[in-house]
Amino acid sequence: MREKSAICIAGGGSTFTPGIVLMLVENQDRFPISKITLYDNNAERQDKLAEACAIMLKEKAPEIEFNWTTDPETAFTGIDFVMAHIRVGLYAMRELDEKIPLKYGVVGQETCGPGGMAYGMRSIGPVIEILDYMEKYSPNAWMLNYSNPAAIVAEATRRLRPGHRIINICDMPVGLETNMCSIIKDETGRELTRNDMEIRYYGLNHFGWWTQIQDKEGNDLMPILKKHISEMGYANNSPEFQHRDPSWVETYTKAKDVYALDPETVPNTYLKYYLYPDFVVEHSDPNYTRANEVMDGREKTVFGQAKAIVENGTSKGNEFAVGVHASFIVDLACALKFNTHERMLLIVPNEGAIENFDPTAMVEIPCLVGSNGPEPLKIGDIPTFQRGLMTEQVCVEKLVVEAWIEHSYQKMWQAITLSKTVPSGKVAKQILDELIEANKDFWPELK
Ligand code: NAD
Ligand code: LMR
């Protein structure tokens, strides 16, 4: 019988919380749980989801103790893992992150470009606060952080809390690998899961490339994927793809042009924001962005389901959906708890894994994960194109963190100017000044 874990989910009011709770329930055999506590600083938002989760848990796993709270000591005492997915400023601020740059003809996106930097400046302090609570009340616990923007948050924790028990993760490669399985099915009829593939990948968060994808027998799957991606990007016939929101359909399809720039590798979709920013801006509606799509879609759906569960007193007929990233989080928790040495893509300090790249950069690369944490695998040298792009982007991320630490207007202006998504220092300044005004309740005062 495997030892049980006590979990705190930070960002209890997140649209992803019910899916994570359900995923934990469904994985009891490999990752048994004694207790789940939700923690949020917004009691009203959290209550709505927590009351529904309580009903669902009573029906599906009454043996799990379930609580929710806004008190850090209650939340973080006696736990083994914090699973953190906070969104500082909620969707209202995401909307501004997207719409302010777009006013100036610049990409408006949750994690890429000036919007991502604005979100980073909001997220650094609260993520570190949660890490500190965890270390105060449960010093041996691990924090699995998937609060965005993961690249900036990861760099901030490297700088401000080096060596601490936090692992930064992202579901984007997991989602794309699942999608690759659908492509292989479309192209060959063969049914694979993500875990049947052996991959090599390197990059920064939301900014990377696959260099190898093969099955467990060593057969190269790259030629099938490359042919498909060169013709139609990541678009495919799976129900999962067909039900994607319009903005995601466009992102998956645009991967065709991202791929064309380097046919040696298979790209992460978010590279479109850096390599084709003009296309992205032309295809954005400055009055209705991804934040609006999510508020009208996932947020309404999840909170609507929760309301129905509470009103009906049962979760029957209102099952929450489990996202792709949920299983990845359980895999990671299992690897840490049971020393499985599973191979996973994580955001870790480079420290020589990519030889011809900044050793202090936070990179996304395969690691073996055991009870002592991640051991990064060696990547070797990367080509000039990728090294150039990554060098620019990692400096943007470092400048944002320096701006936050030093309260430096100059560094934030440099960061925005340096981003590949921004045309000039003039436009960067206009965007920055408007972002400062919009974020005055969240950012440190820049001098
Ligand atoms: P959401 O707005 O629905 O939920 C976020 C919750 O965090 C809210 O309830 C909010 O009150 C809470 N929160 C904000 N600041 C807090 C603080 N200081 N302390 C405690 N709680 C706080 O957002 P969402 O769309 O569900 O996304 C949540 C996060 O997960 C985002 O950062 C999103 O980008 C991220 N995400 C990451 C991945 C990944 O794989 N890396 C995948 C999906 C979503
Ligand atoms: C997206 O825009 O799809 C991601 O940021 C996650 C989400 O749905 O909010």
Side-chain angles (χ1 to χ4, degrees):
M1 185 63 185
R2 290 187 147 190
E3 193 194 340
K4 292 188 176 186
S5 297
I7 311 288
C8 171
I9 300 180
S14 157
T15 56
F16 294 105
T17 294
I20 299 281
V21 170
L22 189 55
M23 182 71 193
L24 292 173
V25 168
E26 287 175 358
N27 280 273
Q28 285 288 338
D29 51 341
R30 63 182 185 124
F31 186 64
I33 286 169
S34 54
K35 169 173 102 163
I36 300 175
T37 307
L38 306 188
Y39 168 74
D40 204 292
N41 63 359
N42 181 332
E44 200 192 335
R45 186 177 175 93
Q46 175 168 257
D47 284 351
K48 293 180 185 153
L49 297 186
E51 283 163 17
C53 288
I55 292 169
M56 178 177 84
L57 277 167
K58 210 173 251 163
E59 289 172 344
K60 292 186 191 289
E63 69 284 4
I64 298 177
E65 183 189 332
F66 180 67
N67 306 293
W68 63 98
T69 180
T70 54
D71 172 49
E73 184 171 354
T74 311
F76 295 96
T77 301
I79 47 143
D80 301 297
F81 292 97
V82 175
M83 300 181 174
H85 52 202
I86 63 170
R87 183 184 293 285
V88 182
L90 298 166
Y91 280 101
M93 290 308 297
R94 176 178 182 173
E95 188 176 3
L96 293 174
D97 293 341
E98 293 168 349
K99 291 185 177 173
I100 291 173
L102 274 175
K103 264 170 65 178
Y104 299 93
V106 169
V107 167
Q109 213 276 330
E110 179 189 28
T111 61
C112 305
M117 295 181 229
Y119 186 17
M121 290 285 279
R122 292 198 299 279
S123 300
I124 295 171
V127 169
I128 291 204
E129 179 183 71
I130 289 173
L131 181 59
D132 289 347
Y133 286 145
M134 180 188 87
E135 296 200 332
K136 178 170 179 197
Y137 298 115
S138 291
N140 293 321
W142 281 99
M143 179 163 163
L144 315 184
N145 181 56
Y146 40 102
S147 309
N148 271 319
I152 291 170
V153 167
E155 169 62 9
T157 54
R158 184 193 72 82
R159 279 286 305 270
L160 298 166
R161 297 292 183 275
H164 287 226
R165 287 163 82 89
I166 174 168
I167 301 183
N168 294 288
I169 54 176
C170 177
D171 70 341
M172 182 89 62
V174 176
L176 282 167
E177 286 167 17
T178 307
N179 192 75
M180 287 173 196
C181 295
S182 305
I183 291 177
I184 290 165
K185 182 160 181 249
D186 276 3
E187 295 286 338
T188 68
R190 187 169 172 203
E191 305 234 10
L192 289 178
T193 69
R194 195 173 73 76
N195 293 329
D196 299 322
M197 299 195 308
E198 288 184 346
I199 64 107
R200 283 176 164 270
Y201 179 99
Y202 70 84
L204 310 172
N205 179 239
H206 287 177
F207 202 102
W209 296 264
W210 281 265
T211 55
Q212 175 193 296
I213 303 166
Q214 59 182 38
D215 65 18
K216 294 279 185 206
E217 291 76 48
N219 298 307
D220 189 1
L221 302 171
M222 288 284 264
I224 304 164
L225 292 167
K226 284 180 174 181
K227 178 181 164 289
H228 182 102
I229 294 167
S230 70
E231 288 163 4
M232 50 202 290
Y234 285 107
N236 65 80
N237 291 321
S238 68
E240 207 251 330
F241 176 76
Q242 301 300 328
H243 288 114
R244 282 196 169 270
D245 289 335
S247 64
W248 272 105
V249 169
E250 185 178 284
T251 296
Y252 270 37
T253 310
K254 189 68 183 168
K256 170 182 182 228
D257 296 330
V258 177
Y259 167 77
L261 269 159
D262 180 25
E264 296 297 309
T265 58
V266 166
N268 188 307
T269 48
Y270 271 19
L271 287 161
K272 81 163 187 179
Y273 295 112
Y274 303 94
L275 300 175
Y276 296 98
D278 47 356
F279 169 91
V280 170
V281 172
E282 279 160 30
H283 288 78
S284 299
D285 178 348
N287 300 312
Y288 193 86
T289 57
R290 175 69 187 156
N292 301 109
E293 201 177 43
V294 178
M295 285 187 273
D296 291 343
R298 187 177 69 236
E299 193 182 37
K300 265 208 181 113
T301 305
V302 171
F303 279 85
Q305 279 174 307
K307 189 163 178 275
I309 290 172
V310 173
E311 280 169 6
N312 299 344
T314 173
S315 68
K316 293 199 178 73
N318 281 292
E319 297 288 332
F320 289 115
V322 178
V324 281
H325 69 299
S327 67
F328 178 65
I329 293 160
V330 172
D331 292 343
L332 178 57
C334 278
L336 291 163
K337 178 97 180 181
F338 305 116
N339 202 27
T340 62
H341 294 109
E342 174 144 352
R343 188 172 159 162
M344 309 191 72
L345 270 186
L346 302 174
I347 304 163
V348 290
N350 182 30
E351 291 171 352
I354 303 175
E355 272 177 54
N356 58 347
F357 194 58
D358 183 348
T360 71
M362 291 302 281
V363 292
E364 195 164 276
I365 52 175
C367 301
L368 299 180
V369 190
S371 47
N372 293 326
E375 282 178 60
L377 297 177
K378 194 173 167 65
I379 302 292
D381 283 346
I382 58 172
T384 309
F385 177 60
Q386 276 83 0
R387 188 160 55 90
L389 288 168
M390 283 167 59
T391 300
E392 181 182 69
Q393 178 60 17
V394 90
C395 289
V396 169
E397 291 159 5
K398 284 180 179 292
L399 279 166
V400 173
V401 173
E402 287 173 19
W404 188 87
I405 294 171
E406 298 166 23
H407 298 194
S408 168
Y409 181 97
Q410 196 73 32
K411 289 202 166 162
M412 197 58 188
W413 185 20
Q414 289 175 351
I416 297 179
T417 306
L418 187 61
S419 172
K420 200 163 169 49
T421 61
V422 176
S424 74
K426 178 182 160 207
V427 174
K429 195 170 200 311
Q430 289 170 322
I431 295 174
L432 174 57
D433 289 342
E434 207 168 325
L435 286 174
I436 288 175
E437 191 52 34
N439 281 280
K440 56 181 185 299
D441 293 342
F442 300 97
W443 288 12
E445 195 181 336
L446 302 185
K447 294 187 268 291

